[in-house]
Structures are given as C-alpha cells and as structure tokens.
Amino acid sequence: MSSTADAGPPGDPTGPSGASPAPLPDVGAAGSTPAVGRRRTWRRPGLYVAAAITVGGAPLGVAWSMLAPWIPVVKTEQGAAVRGGDPEVFVAADGWFAMLGVGYGILAGIVVWAALPRSRGPYGLVAVTAGGLGAAALAWALGRQIGLAGYQRAIEAAALGAQLERPPDLQAGDFDLWFGVLPTVTGAFGAPALGAVLAYTMLAGWSSHPDLRPGPDRGETGSDLPILPAAPDVAADPRISSDSPEPPTRATGPAPPAPGAAAPPPD
C-alpha cells in the first residue's frame, strides 16, 4: 500500500487524520487596545493621581517649615527688618524647598509608575506634572503659615530693637501669568513637578514594553503578539534514534511484483 494513501490531497488543511488544526488566536482582538479606551481609562484615574500628589504637599510644607531656618529680624520704627542684612537665610529657605520638592516629586513619579502599570503614557505624565504643581502650591501656603500668627502677635507686642524670628518664606519662587494669559511658575515652585517628570520619563525610557503597558498576556518580550508553542524536539523522542534505518526512497518506476505473483506478460 502506498505511504501516501492516508494523506489528503495537496492543499487539504485537514491533514492525514481528517481533523482540522487548531485555529490561531485572534491577534487583533486580544493584543490591541483602542486609543479611545486608553483615554477613558486615564480620564478619572488621572484626576485621582493629580489630587493625591497635591494632597501630599501638606506634609511637604510641614517638613519644609521644620527644616528651613527661620529668618532673624529686629523690630524698628518702620517694622521688622532682617537682622544683620544677611540674605543667606532666604537662600536656605528656597534651597530646602527645592531639595524637598525634587525628592517628593521623584518619589511620586515612581509610585504612580509602579501602581498604575496599565495606565502609563502621556496622560500619566500630565497627571504627575499637575500634581507636582499643586503640591508646591499647597506646601508653600501651609509651610509659611506655620508659626506666622504667633510671630505677628510677638512683633506687635515687642519693643523697638527686640530680636525675633519669623517663619521661612520663598523669595525666588512665584506663580505668574505669561503675557497675562498662560500660568507659569518660577524658582523653587517647579521643583516637585520637575522631580515627578524626571522620574516618570526616565522609567518610560528604560521600559522594555513598546507601549509601556505590561500585562499577563505579553510573555517575556513585552509584545502584544501571542507566542505559539514550540515544535516538539524530534531528537528528544526516545522512539527515534540516530541508529534507525532511513526510510526507503520512493521509486519512480512501476512497483515490483509481490513474491509468488505471476509476472506480467511482456509487451
């Protein structure tokens, strides 16, 4: 019997057993996410992220008020004046705000990147930037108010020449409008946003996933394409060894007569 008796005709997808092979997975349905869906997934979480980072500016302001040096002043007839005219205390206050702000922004960017892996991208960058600016505003507004009321009462009741200390304040930082239209920040106010953007973009640059969104269906390569199972290793099959005889080659002429059968008459 011919070795090709059980094989289907050329081009038959059913194969020798007549069973249809398993269909390939639908790459388009499982591996792609519409852009509209991605925008919707970040619409509400983005607001939550910005709000959470902004609220974190409260402990940032408390830490700044505790670490930054208070400004030594003396009461004069014109009001309070900086004692000795030394501006280093103002530089120190801005420096502490900038250092704490950058550190807080870096921490916030790393936390957002790790906590929301399926929502990474430009919307996440906008959220951490807005949150950093909000945190700077809250930290400054809260930090400069700590101890300010007590200082004002003390300076009013103090005699001329009395030496006091007032809470720290920023000198090289402000919120302003560019050409009276676009809001801008200057000085140390941009420190938290700068740290958050720096950490987020660096993590995006080191990511091994093309769209920055890892998932359980992506394998080790980070691709959306499914990974088909590898073909079985023929050499590892114990039923097949290198000592097995090679299969006979198919003859091109007529098949020889079986033993004991009458020979065909000559032409």
Side-chain angles (χ1 to χ4, degrees):
M1 182 179 294
S2 174
S3 60
T4 59
D6 295 336
D12 186 4
T14 59
S17 61
S20 299
L24 294 176
D26 188 0
V27 177
S32 60
T33 303
V36 176
R38 291 178 180 174
R39 288 196 296 267
R40 290 179 179 176
T41 57
W42 248 111
R43 184 176 300 172
R44 184 172 297 178
L47 297 177
Y48 292 159
V49 167
I53 297 177
T54 299
V55 172
L60 177 64
V62 174
W64 171 60
S65 178
M66 294 175 60
L67 295 175
W70 284 37
I71 304 172
V73 296
V74 59
K75 185 175 180 179
T76 63
E77 295 180 354
Q78 291 77 21
V82 178
R83 198 166 49 207
D86 191 358
E88 290 183 359
V89 290
F90 298 104
V91 177
D94 286 23
W96 274 107
F97 192 93
M99 289 189 297
L100 293 173
V102 170
Y104 174 73
I106 292 176
L107 179 62
I110 294 175
V111 170
V112 172
W113 178 272
L116 299 173
R118 302 296 296 174
S119 302
R120 296 170 182 170
Y123 295 98
L125 184 62
V126 172
V128 298
T129 304
L133 295 177
L138 182 59
W140 170 73
L142 179 62
R144 69 189 297 269
Q145 292 295 329
I146 297 177
L148 184 60
Y151 161 76
Q152 291 175 346
R153 290 192 299 266
I155 197 68
E156 291 176 359
L160 292 177
Q163 297 181 358
L164 300 93
E165 290 185 346
R166 60 164 295 178
D169 200 353
L170 293 180
Q171 301 298 318
D174 194 9
F175 287 97
D176 200 356
L177 293 178
W178 189 45
F179 291 107
V181 179
L182 298 178
T184 59
V185 294
T186 58
F189 273 117
L194 175 63
V197 171
L198 179 64
Y200 202 85
T201 52
M202 289 185 67
L203 290 172
W206 292 336
S207 177
S208 59
H209 307 286
D211 60 353
L212 309 179
R213 297 174 176 89
D217 58 338
R218 296 194 173 206
E220 297 180 356
T221 60
S223 174
D224 289 338
L225 299 177
I227 300 178
L228 299 179
D233 189 1
V234 178
D237 193 340
R239 297 171 298 179
I240 302 176
S241 64
S242 58
D243 299 335
S244 300
E246 297 183 358
T249 57
R250 185 174 179 180
T252 56
D267 294 339

